[in-house]
């Protein structure tokens, strides 16, 4: 199987979830075989070695510029099976939050179409590895089906949810994963704001749960939170730069555990 890039440029404008600043990004076709963020002449490859922060979002930096909250855009690219693009950070240092999901990114990628490159898709050789920490777990087991099963256990009203998704199936991703939005509990809002995060978080880009239900509108799926966790997981796995072979089981994890899992994958492969 060959790598793919997008057919035409795609532009997104909006407000960043954490910085609260206006941003404009341009995703352009690129034949370099990887995803690269670029501001003026400086480049950051979408690779876990560039990750500088994983609290509530993934931040990449090369020391000269920083890109906040890359995971939903990376998820849309990886989920729609696009391996190679250049993302020009024209304004701001954060990917626009849009509606808190990756739906607009995924729809735009679908609409523009793809171009097949000459490079072969690279797979990680490692078929079995696990990361466990304090009840959180990411485990890869050998399987002919490449899929992820995610288990979450949040306070009510979310509770326990499980969802299974194929890792590489653009049609499934667009319909079942891309629409799932970012969420937060009302009791977490003050804490997150105190951390200096979520300055651009609002009722249009984040689902707010109270102990009784959803504060702002209706869910898109009754298990929307666990689907969003899969969305985040797929975006984080893009930072491995190679595709995973096998079946992944994830329990109560977040960006931090996803990154630790990626490091174990690299160790396992001796890269
Ligand atoms: Zn997310």
């Amino acid at each position: 199987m060959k790598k793919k890039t997008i057919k035409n440029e795609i532009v997104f404008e909006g407000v960043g979830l954490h910085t609260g600043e206006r941003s404009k990004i341009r995703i352009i076709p690129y034949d370099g075989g990887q995803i690269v963020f670029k501001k003026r002449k400086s480049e950051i490859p979408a690779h876990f070695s560039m990750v500088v922060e994983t609290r509530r979002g993934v931040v990449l930096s090369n020391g000269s510029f920083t890109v906040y909250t890359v995971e939903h855009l990376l998820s849309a690219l990886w989920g729609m099976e696009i391996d190679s693009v250049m993302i020009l950070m024209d304004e701001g240092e954060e990917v626009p939050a849009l509606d808190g999901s990756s739906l607009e990114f995924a729809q735009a990628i679908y609409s523009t179409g793809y171009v097949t490159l000459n490079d072969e898709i690279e797979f990680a050789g490692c078929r079995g590895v696990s990361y466990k920490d304090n009840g959180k777990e990411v485990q890869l087991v050998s399987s002919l089906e490449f899929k992820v099963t995610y288990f979450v256990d949040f306070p009510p009203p979310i509770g326990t949810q499980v969802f299974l998704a194929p890792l590489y199936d653009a049609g499934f991703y667009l319909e079942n994963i891309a629409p799932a939005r970012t969420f937060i509990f009302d009791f977490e809002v003050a804490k997150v704001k105190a951390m200096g995060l979520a300055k651009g978080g609002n009722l249009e880009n984040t689902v707010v749960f109270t102990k009784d239900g959803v504060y702002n509108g209706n869910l898109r799926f009754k298990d929307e939170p666990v689907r969003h966790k899969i969305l985040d997981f797929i975006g984080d796995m893009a930072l491995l730069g190679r595709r995973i072979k096998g079946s992944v089981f994830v329990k109560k994890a977040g960006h931090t555990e996803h990154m630790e899992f990626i490091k174990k994958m690299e160790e396992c492969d001796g890269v």
Side-chain angles (χ1 to χ4, degrees):
M1 263 202 309
K2 305 280 191 188
K3 290 187 180 178
K4 293 176 194 150
T5 188
I6 53 172
K7 205 175 228 168
N8 298 300
E9 175 180 305
I10 309 169
V11 181
F12 292 100
E13 288 179 73
V15 170
L17 181 65
H18 290 303
T19 60
E21 284 169 13
R22 234 189 73 78
S23 78
K24 182 180 169 201
I25 63 171
R26 260 185 305 145
I27 310 171
I28 59 172
Y30 175 57
D31 62 4
Q34 60 178 341
I35 298 168
V36 179
F37 291 88
K38 185 170 184 182
K39 194 170 185 84
R40 294 183 202 96
K41 290 209 157 53
S42 185
E43 295 184 359
I44 305 177
H47 187 260
F48 72 91
S49 59
M50 311 308 283
V51 172
V52 291
E53 174 66 80
T54 53
R55 291 180 308 171
R56 301 209 78 102
V58 178
V59 181
L60 307 180
S61 182
N62 63 2
S64 97
F65 83 102
T66 301
V67 188
Y68 295 85
T69 323
V70 296
E71 64 269 22
H72 299 164
L73 174 57
L74 292 182
S75 181
L77 289 163
W78 214 244
M80 297 306 290
E81 301 178 75
I82 298 296
D83 314 277
S84 181
V85 288
M86 188 78 89
I87 301 160
L88 307 178
M89 303 300 295
D90 286 345
E91 266 179 65
E93 292 205 318
E94 186 165 12
V95 175
L98 306 180
D99 70 353
S101 75
S102 65
L103 186 58
E104 284 183 54
F105 296 131
Q107 282 173 333
I109 292 164
Y110 177 76
S111 300
T112 190
Y114 63 83
V115 174
T116 304
L117 302 173
N118 287 326
D119 302 16
E120 286 291 330
I121 286 171
E122 294 161 66
F123 283 92
C126 187
R127 301 283 188 108
V129 63
S130 77
Y131 175 79
K132 289 183 192 179
D133 179 40
N134 203 14
K136 299 170 179 184
E137 190 175 334
V138 189
Q139 193 179 6
L140 170 68
V141 294
S142 194
S143 166
L144 291 175
E145 284 180 277
F146 302 165
K147 61 189 181 189
V148 54
T149 308
Y150 216 110
F151 171 86
V152 297
D153 184 7
F154 286 106
I158 300 179
T160 58
Q161 298 183 346
V162 186
F163 197 79
L164 186 154
L167 281 170
Y168 314 109
D169 181 336
F172 186 94
Y173 179 88
L174 185 58
E175 201 171 315
N176 298 286
I177 304 297
R181 294 162 296 167
T182 307
F183 60 95
I184 194 165
F185 283 95
D186 56 355
F187 60 81
E188 292 178 299
V189 172
K191 191 180 87 188
V192 172
K193 297 261 184 193
M195 287 160 78
L197 300 171
K199 288 192 187 97
N202 60 46
L203 297 175
E204 273 70 57
N205 61 25
T206 307
V207 178
V208 180
F209 283 95
T210 68
K211 66 179 189 340
D212 304 317
V214 179
Y215 177 73
N216 50 337
N218 298 315
L219 292 176
R220 290 177 176 173
F221 308 100
K222 71 179 191 310
D223 52 2
E224 190 169 349
V226 72
R227 294 183 192 226
H228 186 80
K229 296 298 286 187
I230 289 185
L231 186 158
D232 281 342
F233 179 79
I234 289 173
D236 288 347
M237 289 309 114
L239 294 166
L240 180 62
R242 293 172 295 141
R243 294 198 190 180
I244 291 171
K245 267 183 184 169
S247 177
V248 190
F249 175 76
V250 195
K251 186 178 157 193
K252 300 200 283 187
H255 298 301
T256 307
E257 293 76 27
H258 298 164
M259 287 311 142
E260 292 301 325
F261 171 73
I262 286 184
K263 288 178 196 162
K264 287 228 161 193
M265 290 287 294
E266 290 275 294
E267 273 169 30
C268 168
D269 273 4
V271 175

